[in-house]
Amino acid sequence: MARFNKIFLGPVTKVKPDVRELIANAALKPGRLAVISSGKWVLAGATTVGKVWIVQDNYLALKSVDDDWAADSTAIGIEMQDDELYAARVANGVNVSAIGTPLTPGANGTLAIASTSDLVVAYADEVYNNNSGSEQLVRVRAAGSQSYLSAAS
């Protein structure tokens, strides 16, 4: 069961986030990161270097954040902006130990803790040690401009 019931968390003064609808290349779980490849949504991975989007929950069909978008269906991706909060998925075993922890794309569209020279796409907005046995949603704020950590950081 997810810790949040929506992917876009606010602010409440912004009614709708900026989104894009594309065909899902594979099943997409809300809260995972995706990239656009050949005009379709593809899950982001550890080697992702381009712009990432976050997969929206399928509110149009009254689905929850735990219900996948089916492969070859039209799915919605949110363009992450740094003045908004999102619930993004971290894999089991990821320990977000401090607010402001830099996060990078990991396996299967989940977020991982960023290290030197990783693409930083978001910063943690809560502390959460995911030892639940499954992926969990963690509150994050998008990086202002997706950048790379350097040894000087």
Side-chain angles (χ1 to χ4, degrees), residues 33-69:
L33 301 178
V35 296
I36 299 171
S37 178
S38 300
K40 294 184 176 186
W41 291 124
V42 177
L43 287 173
T47 59
T48 295
V49 294
K51 178 178 181 171
V52 299
W53 300 65
I54 190 165
V55 179
Q56 170 104 8
D57 47 300
N58 189 353
Y59 64 90
L60 299 171
L62 302 175
K63 302 286 185 176
S64 79
V65 293
D66 291 324
D67 294 319
D68 291 357
W69 293 88

Side-chain angles (χ1 to χ4, degrees), residues 15-152:
V15 180
K16 298 178 184 173
D18 294 328
V19 299
R20 179 169 289 190
E21 294 181 2
L22 295 171
I23 300 296
N25 189 48
L28 300 175
K29 185 168 289 300
R32 287 187 177 173
L33 301 178
V35 296
I36 299 171
S37 178
S38 300
K40 294 184 176 186
W41 291 124
V42 177
L43 287 173
T47 59
T48 295
V49 294
K51 178 178 181 171
V52 299
W53 300 65
I54 190 165
V55 179
Q56 170 104 8
D57 47 300
N58 189 353
Y59 64 90
L60 299 171
L62 302 175
K63 302 286 185 176
S64 79
V65 293
D66 291 324
D67 294 319
D68 291 357
W69 293 88
D72 297 321
S73 68
T74 300
I76 300 174
I78 302 172
E79 183 174 9
M80 298 191 338
Q81 299 184 18
D82 64 352
D83 62 340
E84 299 171 349
L85 294 170
Y86 306 93
R89 294 196 180 268
V90 295
N92 183 49
V94 173
N95 181 13
V96 180
S97 59
I99 292 174
T101 299
L103 302 168
T104 189
N108 297 321
T110 60
L111 286 168
I113 306 299
S115 61
T116 303
S117 73
D118 280 340
L119 173 67
V120 176
V121 296
Y123 293 95
D125 198 59
E126 69 174 323
V127 173
Y128 184 71
N129 182 8
N130 187 11
N131 57 6
S132 67
S134 64
E135 294 177 3
Q136 292 296 320
L137 293 168
V138 173
R139 190 176 59 240
V140 301
R141 184 175 301 277
S145 60
Q146 296 173 8
S147 59
Y148 290 85
L149 286 179
S150 66

